[in-house]
Amino acid sequence: MSFNTFGRMFRYTSWGESHGPALGAVVDGCPPGIALSEADIQPWLDKRRPGTSRFTTQRREPDIVRILSGVFEGRTTGTPISLMIENVDQRSKDYANVAVAYRPGHADYAYDAKYGFRDPRGGGRSSARETAARVAAAAVARGVIPEVRIRAYLTEIGGDVIDRAAHDDAEIDRNPFFCPDPAAAARWEVLVDAARKAGSSLGAVVECVAEGVPAGWGAPLYAKLDGDLAGAMMSINAVKGVEIGDGFAAARLAGEGNADAMRPGPDGRPLFLANHAGGIAGGIATGQPVVVRVALKPTSSILTPVETIDRTGAAAEIATKGRHDPCVGIRAAPVVEAMMALVLADHKLLHRGQIG
Amino acid sequence: MSFNTFGRMFRYTSWGESHGPALGAVVDGCPPGIALSEADIQPWLDKRRPGTSRFTTQRREPDIVRILSGVFEGRTTGTPISLMIENVDQRSKDYANVAVAYRPGHADYAYDAKYGFRDPRGGGRSSARETAARVAAAAVARGVIPEVRIRAYLTEIGGDVIDRAAHDDAEIDRNPFFCPDPAAAARWEVLVDAARKAGSSLGAVVECVAEGVPAGWGAPLYAKLDGDLAGAMMSINAVKGVEIGDGFAAARLAGEGNADAMRPGPDGRPLFLANHAGGIAGGIATGQPVVVRVALKPTSSILTPVETIDRTGAAAEIATKGRHDPCVGIRAAPVVEAMMALVLADHKLLHRGQIG
Amino acid sequence: MSFNTFGRMFRYTSWGESHGPALGAVVDGCPPGIALSEADIQPWLDKRRPGTSRFTTQRREPDIVRILSGVFEGRTTGTPISLMIENVDQRSKDYANVAVAYRPGHADYAYDAKYGFRDPRGGGRSSARETAARVAAAAVARGVIPEVRIRAYLTEIGGDVIDRAAHDDAEIDRNPFFCPDPAAAARWEVLVDAARKAGSSLGAVVECVAEGVPAGWGAPLYAKLDGDLAGAMMSINAVKGVEIGDGFAAARLAGEGNADAMRPGPDGRPLFLANHAGGIAGGIATGQPVVVRVALKPTSSILTPVETIDRTGAAAEIATKGRHDPCVGIRAAPVVEAMMALVLADHKLLHRGQIG
Amino acid sequence: MSFNTFGRMFRYTSWGESHGPALGAVVDGCPPGIALSEADIQPWLDKRRPGTSRFTTQRREPDIVRILSGVFEGRTTGTPISLMIENVDQRSKDYANVAVAYRPGHADYAYDAKYGFRDPRGGGRSSARETAARVAAAAVARGVIPEVRIRAYLTEIGGDVIDRAAHDDAEIDRNPFFCPDPAAAARWEVLVDAARKAGSSLGAVVECVAEGVPAGWGAPLYAKLDGDLAGAMMSINAVKGVEIGDGFAAARLAGEGNADAMRPGPDGRPLFLANHAGGIAGGIATGQPVVVRVALKPTSSILTPVETIDRTGAAAEIATKGRHDPCVGIRAAPVVEAMMALVLADHKLLHRGQIG
């Protein structure tokens, strides 16, 4: 893992800014012989794409991916797979004042403090547009782990929580919120509309479950499956918290309440009677579903003016008028899913390398 | 970051099992010329040491560290620093039945699923004893970042939360719980005693604050300061959740409530009016205090028998009688502090390398 | 360093095949604020470009580079720099029989043995066309090390060696052989012409000197400056040997003859009386010129039929008719220079990171 | 690969100085279930041990290795294997004047230029004593690649070359020079004795052959098997040149003379008619023997006084009186073998990880 590279055996390097000509990812270490074409990647990008409902930014990006290398006659060759997505709708004028005053909650000031200056157009490199590269790379990763089924969904927007009893996977793709509870989805429509019209924004919680991960993937200490997932999720824009299994709730349990008891199961494998651990023990998968939850802060770009300073250090005030997601958490769901796929593909290859 | 190595520029490799002859860490990339002797490391190990109060495991380990390389005439030479701690009190007999039945909540089953077999004595490599290596390595890291002051403390045991208004840093070292609120410490004494006597266990929340981190440390995307902290913290035994700044609470805020407004401050630096972000924006430090919070599950070793299976797959029942911490969260505080120091030292050197 | 990534702090990831739509490199870790435009990169690509004389392959590639990210208003931003070069002259028909019979000396058989199949067009990923990505990345690296002057030149083609006494740096760019000795250049013209007309090929030796490398760059043991240079040079197509300083000749010297004696020099720095060591001791630069020499085998593609087998394992015979360099060593000179620049830029940042 | 870590999947981190209390290596990524005890490592250390004949340094080190972790009941557990060797015969007094005047050819000046100061006792970290850690780690690596047979031997001392026709593997262990030609061994006895008595030193060439490496190990471009071998070999003390297969001689061949023609062989695998390539094409093993050759300079420590400077920059003269190998190339043979084993073990696991 380097500044812009993620993974050990299955790795990708991401590049590109919000308002540059293009962005992309170079995937390295992908096994050979996996069926892959643009058509395998595009649907995942379409799920993350902006402008598909009134609840996301109105920037119009088709997000068409091109495979520039690493595939021959429809199969991966084992050599680097270069994926490129051209930027089409870069309206830089919206960002004119951004170049002057720092937007609180954004990376503006921190980037200037680090690099001395930055590309201010649309957040430059710190824009969530970079997540398109992740989703494209993850589409390749999915081909490496056909045994795994991953789904991410929102459990909470602005503090309004789903009813777990009403959870129905089939609902997730039927509403613009990746919400598994149709009643919650209906409430969120009102909630997000109100925030959008007020020029305000809302936070959210995304949960992600991976089924089919065999016991044994993962590794000790500094390549723990949960450690890698935590790092991966926290690297997504606007994420401020990560939980595995019961997460913070586990801190309030006594040992008896947190135990995942085991019974003899089919095929000699254990049957777990609970999954407080979220499918990971000692950094290694137990064969239960892997469960991760991430907290996303509300979009920092809001219409209400906020006190700030400009590059010269002088007092200023800023209200962000550009095109923004009223709730970044919504479009984060496909990205959380992507990071899960990328971490698992990497660990499958690591496990295979060490254990055979 | 590899299986047992942590960091990029300032790195350490950890080794050793709970009941082997010794454990240790090799620190690589440490700048030369830093004053270092065993006396600089020992106090940090003493804080983490077991058996210092009745609220921690009664295993008696002096945890005496030896420096085997990388220091000449009291200063680091820039070459690898090998740190070794001998195990003294390895009572393997307590673990006899552990070799047969899997302890729910422990890594026993997952290790066997991965490696085919394991060193079962005291958890082997998955034992929290490994954290002594981290604390020793972190003592070296502290010499690299003299500008930073780090403190970790518990905010919650078994769901009993401190009163933030009563927070007093000076209290942290005055009670066996690293608790900044003396009233809460008094309550926890009763709480943990009850759990200990009942052979039960409690979860906890540890908060860690680093002051003096200059704006600019950190890096984009896959080497974000918060991403690295999340991965580092989740790599600690029993940790199930990590938050930066407001964490999950931020998911319940609207954009206006989450904004860290800025005013012109002294020395041309901004004066922040809030720190919802926990000192990090876009993966880069803002100059505010860096704030991390971690959730630790209750110790999995409890006296109440739990259903499980043994290595043959047959049904079994297990009650763990060995020496255990009734609340692993207590001894985690020095480890959380250690990981903060290790991540920050690494990022200081990375920043200096790229920016100069 | 990964499959397709080179470097630690200053890193690049290379992608692309000989006959795909494009190839490129993503440079990561480049310091911010360095002046960079396509015009800074193009001249280096032009030096490596095929078809500039009758002594190199007649494939016509303009090798026009585009910067797709990481530069804002003419300066690097510190974020990844994506460089892309489109392939224009991919005449795949020349390679029809290559898909069937393995070309001895090429990677054909080894790739199939590893990956099960491969992109056979023009050597696919194992084509020397990949070196365009290195040269482009190195042009960025040069901006990181303005204090260093690098030049590479041929000292030998087909066993015909230059006269060291006649070495004149100014001659290097005056002939199509990067030859510092005009008399040798004249002889080589005859030699290479004869090989080309006979459908044969010749080996070569390239020497590379870097002046201005300060004492102290480099690192011990597994990041030695000479170790990294050796790995970097051996990664270039057709390279079979690497020497630092006196190289294999040093093995024939006695200790007295190999000593680089020192005298007090200007500015408190030593004045070396010889440079047998090639500017590196213990893996660390001494401040003397860094001297590397690489041996390149003759191009494996020749008109003379050679016995081989095909993918089915059946006996075959192959004579390579495509467009090839009669002496790959010629176009290797700019690539050797590129690898020197890439290694030095990386070590400058590593040194700065650790030492400050 | 970091400053003191070597390898990707099979990695080790080396630590320790010539005159510190101990040195060692931590091996990470080793597969579980491999039989391993100190008795499997000790014989390899004994081959490298100083003082076994009058042709090597008279320092008396038993080089007894201890396994401190990662092995349970005689088998590797998949967790880090910590290996420690105590230093016994550290006669620091011999090195008194070394602390003052820089020894030409040694790393003294370069270390001071980098780090500001150094541990001067016996070369500190730059001493060839570090190679004991490599040999110990390689003994573990050998268990990972039982299908491979590696042997290293000297082909040349002080310019006196073996007769290839007289090569007999059985001779290698019958003389103190790892010489496969008994006649050459007899001549070298005279040669090295003369150098030793004169307080002079001699260079050498070591060749290493690995048989049984399956076609397919290795990887493209920046993890090439030959690139990794070159980097690994150049990281050994006193090495100044590396060749794969024909090496520099290939630069003098025409394409026809360098072709490794293929015929249908047994088991569907090719039968190669030559091995100019040294068993590697495009960075990937072809199934032929892997052949590497390294050049070692003469020991820099000689009795003849050499001009130098001291730490203050003043002129000085130095004659090294300590205990030294008259020809470091001799004891390098087991180290070259070690690096071959380490690189191959790493590539076996990498290949298995990516390809399955």
Side-chain angles (χ1 to χ4, degrees):
Chain A
M1 215 177 340
S2 177
F3 297 151
N4 292 283
T5 299
F6 183 83
R8 295 176 179 84
M9 281 289 292
F10 185 97
R11 300 157 63 93
Y12 73 98
T13 299
S14 139
W15 58 269
E17 286 92 34
S18 174
H19 286 55
L23 59 89
V26 182
V27 175
D28 198 6
C30 182
I34 297 175
L36 186 71
S37 72
E38 276 98 351
D40 295 310
I41 304 174
Q42 199 60 52
W44 302 105
L45 283 168
D46 291 346
K47 286 184 81 170
R48 193 214 71 100
R49 195 154 52 85
T52 51
S53 81
R54 71 179 185 277
F55 306 107
T56 61
T57 171
Q58 294 307 301
R59 180 170 171 170
R60 297 281 166 195
E61 286 292 350
D63 279 353
I64 303 298
V65 68
R66 281 186 66 199
I67 298 175
L68 296 176
S69 68
V71 174
F72 181 64
E73 296 182 346
R75 287 187 296 159
T76 59
T77 57
T79 60
I81 301 166
S82 181
L83 306 170
M84 185 169 74
I85 297 162
E86 284 184 61
N87 286 325
V88 170
D89 185 17
Q90 312 106 300
R91 263 196 271 160
S92 289
K93 60 184 179 313
D94 286 348
Y95 297 94
N97 65 332
V98 168
V100 181
Y102 293 126
R103 297 170 302 168
H106 279 279
D108 301 355
Y109 169 70
Y111 264 66
D112 269 8
K114 181 174 194 72
Y115 298 116
F117 76 112
R118 83 206 127 91
D119 177 350
R121 299 166 302 161
R125 182 67 181 152
S126 67
S127 165
R129 225 182 128 50
E130 187 269 345
T131 59
R134 302 173 184 230
V135 169
V140 182
R142 287 170 194 268
V144 177
I145 47 168
E147 62 272 64
V148 178
R149 179 177 168 249
I150 305 171
R151 57 185 194 281
Y153 44 86
L154 276 75
T155 60
E156 189 174 332
I157 287 186
D160 183 343
V161 184
I162 61 164
D163 175 5
R164 294 256 167 199
H167 182 116
D168 178 358
D169 271 5
E171 288 295 326
I172 297 172
D173 288 327
R174 289 196 193 129
N175 60 70
F177 304 107
F178 302 106
C179 178
D181 166 7
R187 295 193 308 269
W188 293 355
E189 199 164 323
V190 180
L191 205 62
V192 179
D193 250 343
R196 183 175 58 84
K197 284 171 188 164
S200 183
S201 63
L202 297 167
V205 173
V206 177
E207 188 168 276
C208 184
V209 177
E211 286 175 309
V213 177
W217 290 6
L221 296 165
Y222 307 109
K224 280 184 171 169
L225 189 51
D226 39 0
D228 279 8
L229 284 169
M233 297 305 168
M234 197 64 93
S235 79
I236 301 173
N237 310 54
V239 170
K240 300 304 284 184
V242 184
E243 295 183 318
I244 305 291
D246 282 4
F248 277 83
R252 282 134 214 162
L253 295 174
E256 295 74 20
N258 190 53
D260 294 334
M262 288 180 264
R263 294 286 77 194
D267 321 323
R269 282 181 294 185
L271 183 72
F272 286 92
L273 304 183
N275 189 16
H276 299 286
I280 304 173
I284 299 170
T286 61
Q288 292 219 80
V290 173
V291 182
V292 181
R293 214 168 304 101
V294 308
L296 293 112
K297 66 177 182 181
T299 318
S300 299
S301 302
I302 48 174
L303 266 181
T304 310
V306 182
E307 287 182 304
T308 188
I309 58 170
D310 66 20
R311 289 207 60 181
T312 69
E317 200 169 70
I318 194 161
T320 321
K321 286 187 198 119
R323 305 161 296 174
H324 298 287
D325 290 278
C327 172
V328 282
I330 299 171
R331 284 176 56 222
V335 182
V336 168
E337 233 182 72
M339 297 316 294
M340 176 70 90
L342 288 158
V343 169
L344 290 175
D346 190 31
H347 274 281
K348 177 177 181 174
L349 303 191
L350 277 174
H351 177 79
R352 190 160 77 181
Q354 194 189 2
I355 310 297
Chain B
M1 216 180 338
S2 177
F3 297 151
N4 293 283
T5 300
F6 183 84
R8 297 176 178 82
M9 281 289 292
F10 185 98
R11 303 157 62 93
Y12 72 98
T13 299
S14 137
W15 58 270
E17 286 93 34
S18 174
H19 285 55
L23 59 87
V26 183
V27 175
D28 197 6
C30 182
I34 296 174
L36 186 71
S37 73
E38 276 98 352
D40 295 308
I41 304 175
Q42 199 59 53
W44 304 105
L45 284 168
D46 292 345
K47 285 182 82 167
R48 194 214 71 101
R49 196 152 54 84
T52 50
S53 81
R54 71 178 183 277
F55 306 107
T56 61
T57 170
Q58 294 308 300
R59 180 169 172 173
R60 297 281 166 194
E61 287 291 351
D63 280 352
I64 303 297
V65 68
R66 280 187 67 199
I67 299 175
L68 296 176
S69 67
V71 174
F72 181 63
E73 296 182 347
R75 287 186 297 160
T76 60
T77 58
T79 61
I81 301 165
S82 181
L83 306 170
M84 186 168 73
I85 298 163
E86 284 185 60
N87 285 326
V88 170
D89 185 17
Q90 312 107 301
R91 263 196 272 158
S92 289
K93 61 184 178 314
D94 286 349
Y95 297 95
N97 65 331
V98 169
V100 181
Y102 294 125
R103 297 170 300 168
H106 279 280
D108 301 355
Y109 169 70
Y111 264 66
D112 268 8
K114 181 174 194 73
Y115 297 115
F117 76 113
R118 84 207 123 92
D119 177 349
R121 298 166 303 160
R125 182 67 182 152
S126 67
S127 163
R129 223 180 130 50
E130 187 269 345
T131 59
R134 303 174 183 228
V135 168
V140 182
R142 287 170 194 268
V144 177
I145 47 168
E147 63 271 65
V148 178
R149 178 176 167 250
I150 306 173
R151 59 184 191 280
Y153 43 86
L154 276 77
T155 61
E156 189 175 331
I157 287 186
D160 183 343
V161 184
I162 61 164
D163 175 5
R164 294 254 169 203
H167 182 118
D168 178 359
D169 272 5
E171 288 294 327
I172 297 172
D173 288 328
R174 288 197 193 127
N175 61 71
F177 304 108
F178 302 106
C179 177
D181 166 7
R187 295 194 307 270
W188 294 354
E189 199 165 321
V190 179
L191 205 62
V192 179
D193 250 341
R196 185 174 57 84
K197 283 171 190 165
S200 181
S201 62
L202 297 167
V205 173
V206 177
E207 188 168 276
C208 185
V209 177
E211 286 174 309
V213 178
W217 289 6
L221 295 164
Y222 306 111
K224 279 184 172 169
L225 189 51
D226 38 0
D228 279 8
L229 284 169
M233 296 305 167
M234 198 64 94
S235 79
I236 301 172
N237 310 55
V239 170
K240 300 304 284 185
V242 184
E243 297 183 316
I244 305 290
D246 282 5
F248 277 83
R252 281 132 215 165
L253 295 174
E256 295 75 18
N258 190 53
D260 294 334
M262 286 180 263
R263 294 286 76 193
D267 322 321
R269 282 181 292 184
L271 183 72
F272 286 92
L273 304 183
N275 190 16
H276 298 285
I280 304 174
I284 299 170
T286 62
Q288 292 219 82
V290 173
V291 182
V292 181
R293 213 168 303 102
V294 308
L296 293 113
K297 66 177 183 183
T299 318
S300 299
S301 303
I302 48 174
L303 266 180
T304 310
V306 182
E307 288 181 303
T308 188
I309 59 171
D310 65 20
R311 289 208 61 181
T312 69
E317 199 168 72
I318 194 162
T320 320
K321 287 188 198 115
R323 303 159 297 172
H324 299 287
D325 291 278
C327 172
V328 282
I330 299 171
R331 284 175 56 221
V335 183
V336 167
E337 233 182 71
M339 296 316 295
M340 176 70 90
L342 288 158
V343 168
L344 290 175
D346 191 31
H347 274 281
K348 177 177 181 174
L349 302 191
L350 278 173
H351 178 78
R352 190 162 77 183
Q354 194 189 3
I355 311 296
Chain C
M1 213 177 342
S2 177
F3 296 152
N4 292 283
T5 299
F6 183 84
R8 294 175 181 84
M9 280 289 292
F10 185 98
R11 302 158 63 95
Y12 72 98
T13 299
S14 138
W15 58 270
E17 287 92 34
S18 175
H19 286 54
L23 59 88
V26 182
V27 175
D28 197 5
C30 182
I34 298 175
L36 186 71
S37 72
E38 277 97 351
D40 295 309
I41 304 174
Q42 199 59 52
W44 303 105
L45 283 168
D46 292 345
K47 286 184 80 168
R48 194 214 71 100
R49 194 152 54 84
T52 52
S53 82
R54 71 179 184 276
F55 306 108
T56 62
T57 172
Q58 294 307 299
R59 178 168 173 172
R60 296 283 165 193
E61 287 292 350
D63 280 353
I64 302 297
V65 68
R66 280 186 67 199
I67 298 174
L68 295 177
S69 68
V71 174
F72 181 64
E73 296 183 346
R75 287 187 296 160
T76 59
T77 57
T79 61
I81 302 166
S82 181
L83 306 169
M84 185 169 73
I85 298 163
E86 284 185 60
N87 285 327
V88 170
D89 185 16
Q90 313 106 299
R91 264 196 272 162
S92 288
K93 61 185 179 312
D94 287 350
Y95 297 94
N97 65 333
V98 168
V100 181
Y102 294 126
R103 298 169 301 168
H106 280 279
D108 301 356
Y109 169 71
Y111 264 67
D112 268 9
K114 182 175 194 71
Y115 298 115
F117 77 113
R118 83 207 126 91
D119 177 350
R121 299 165 303 160
R125 182 67 182 150
S126 67
S127 164
R129 225 182 127 50
E130 186 270 344
T131 59
R134 301 173 184 230
V135 169
V140 181
R142 287 170 194 269
V144 177
I145 47 167
E147 63 272 65
V148 178
R149 179 178 167 247
I150 306 172
R151 56 185 194 280
Y153 43 86
L154 277 75
T155 62
E156 191 174 333
I157 286 185
D160 183 344
V161 184
I162 62 163
D163 176 4
R164 294 254 168 200
H167 183 115
D168 178 359
D169 271 4
E171 287 295 327
I172 296 171
D173 287 328
R174 289 196 192 127
N175 60 70
F177 305 107
F178 302 105
C179 178
D181 166 6
R187 295 194 307 270
W188 292 355
E189 196 164 325
V190 180
L191 206 61
V192 180
D193 250 343
R196 183 175 59 84
K197 285 172 187 163
S200 182
S201 63
L202 297 167
V205 173
V206 176
E207 188 168 278
C208 184
V209 178
E211 286 175 309
V213 177
W217 290 7
L221 296 164
Y222 307 109
K224 279 184 171 171
L225 188 51
D226 38 1
D228 279 7
L229 284 169
M233 298 304 168
M234 198 63 93
S235 79
I236 302 173
N237 310 55
V239 170
K240 301 303 285 184
V242 184
E243 296 183 318
I244 305 291
D246 282 5
F248 277 83
R252 282 133 214 162
L253 294 174
E256 295 76 19
N258 190 53
D260 294 334
M262 288 180 262
R263 293 286 76 193
D267 321 322
R269 283 182 293 185
L271 184 73
F272 286 92
L273 305 182
N275 189 16
H276 298 285
I280 304 173
I284 299 170
T286 61
Q288 292 219 81
V290 173
V291 182
V292 181
R293 214 168 302 103
V294 308
L296 293 112
K297 67 177 183 181
T299 318
S300 298
S301 303
I302 49 174
L303 266 180
T304 311
V306 183
E307 288 182 303
T308 190
I309 59 171
D310 65 20
R311 289 208 60 181
T312 69
E317 199 168 72
I318 194 161
T320 322
K321 287 190 196 115
R323 304 160 297 174
H324 297 287
D325 290 279
C327 172
V328 282
I330 299 171
R331 284 176 56 221
V335 183
V336 168
E337 234 180 72
M339 297 315 295
M340 176 70 91
L342 288 158
V343 169
L344 290 174
D346 190 31
H347 274 281
K348 178 177 181 174
L349 302 191
L350 277 174
H351 177 79
R352 191 161 75 182
Q354 194 189 3
I355 311 297
Chain D
M1 216 180 338
S2 177
F3 297 151
N4 292 284
T5 300
F6 183 85
R8 295 175 179 82
M9 280 289 292
F10 185 97
R11 303 156 61 94
Y12 72 98
T13 299
S14 138
W15 58 269
E17 286 93 34
S18 175
H19 285 55
L23 58 89
V26 182
V27 175
D28 197 6
C30 182
I34 298 174
L36 185 70
S37 72
E38 277 99 351
D40 296 308
I41 304 174
Q42 200 59 53
W44 303 106
L45 283 168
D46 291 346
K47 285 183 82 169
R48 194 214 70 99
R49 196 152 53 85
T52 52
S53 82
R54 71 178 184 276
F55 306 107
T56 60
T57 171
Q58 294 309 299
R59 180 170 171 173
R60 297 282 166 193
E61 287 291 350
D63 280 354
I64 303 297
V65 69
R66 280 187 67 198
I67 299 175
L68 295 177
S69 67
V71 174
F72 181 64
E73 296 183 347
R75 288 187 296 159
T76 59
T77 57
T79 60
I81 302 166
S82 180
L83 306 170
M84 185 169 74
I85 298 163
E86 284 185 60
N87 285 325
V88 170
D89 185 17
Q90 313 106 299
R91 264 196 271 158
S92 288
K93 62 185 176 314
D94 287 350
Y95 297 95
N97 65 331
V98 169
V100 181
Y102 294 126
R103 297 169 301 168
H106 280 279
D108 300 355
Y109 169 69
Y111 264 66
D112 268 8
K114 182 173 193 73
Y115 298 114
F117 76 111
R118 83 207 124 91
D119 177 349
R121 299 165 302 160
R125 182 67 182 152
S126 67
S127 164
R129 220 176 135 52
E130 186 270 345
T131 59
R134 303 173 183 229
V135 168
V140 182
R142 287 170 193 268
V144 177
I145 47 168
E147 62 272 64
V148 178
R149 179 178 167 247
I150 306 172
R151 57 186 192 280
Y153 43 86
L154 276 77
T155 62
E156 191 175 331
I157 287 185
D160 183 343
V161 184
I162 62 162
D163 176 6
R164 294 253 168 201
H167 183 116
D168 178 358
D169 271 5
E171 288 294 327
I172 296 171
D173 288 327
R174 289 196 192 126
N175 61 70
F177 304 108
F178 302 105
C179 178
D181 166 6
R187 295 194 307 270
W188 293 354
E189 197 164 325
V190 180
L191 206 61
V192 179
D193 250 342
R196 183 175 59 84
K197 284 172 188 163
S200 182
S201 63
L202 297 167
V205 174
V206 176
E207 188 168 277
C208 184
V209 177
E211 286 176 308
V213 178
W217 290 6
L221 296 163
Y222 307 110
K224 280 184 171 169
L225 189 51
D226 40 0
D228 279 7
L229 284 169
M233 298 304 169
M234 197 64 93
S235 80
I236 302 172
N237 310 55
V239 170
K240 301 303 286 185
V242 184
E243 295 183 318
I244 305 291
D246 282 4
F248 277 84
R252 280 131 215 165
L253 295 173
E256 296 76 17
N258 191 54
D260 294 335
M262 287 180 263
R263 294 286 76 194
D267 322 321
R269 282 180 295 183
L271 184 72
F272 287 92
L273 304 182
N275 189 16
H276 298 287
I280 304 173
I284 299 169
T286 62
Q288 293 219 83
V290 173
V291 182
V292 180
R293 214 168 301 102
V294 308
L296 293 113
K297 66 176 183 182
T299 319
S300 298
S301 302
I302 49 174
L303 266 180
T304 311
V306 183
E307 288 182 303
T308 189
I309 59 171
D310 65 21
R311 289 207 62 180
T312 69
E317 200 167 71
I318 195 162
T320 322
K321 285 186 198 120
R323 303 159 296 173
H324 298 286
D325 290 279
C327 172
V328 281
I330 299 170
R331 284 176 55 221
V335 183
V336 168
E337 235 181 70
M339 297 315 295
M340 176 70 90
L342 288 159
V343 169
L344 290 175
D346 190 31
H347 274 281
K348 177 177 182 175
L349 302 191
L350 278 174
H351 178 78
R352 191 161 76 182
Q354 194 189 4
I355 311 297

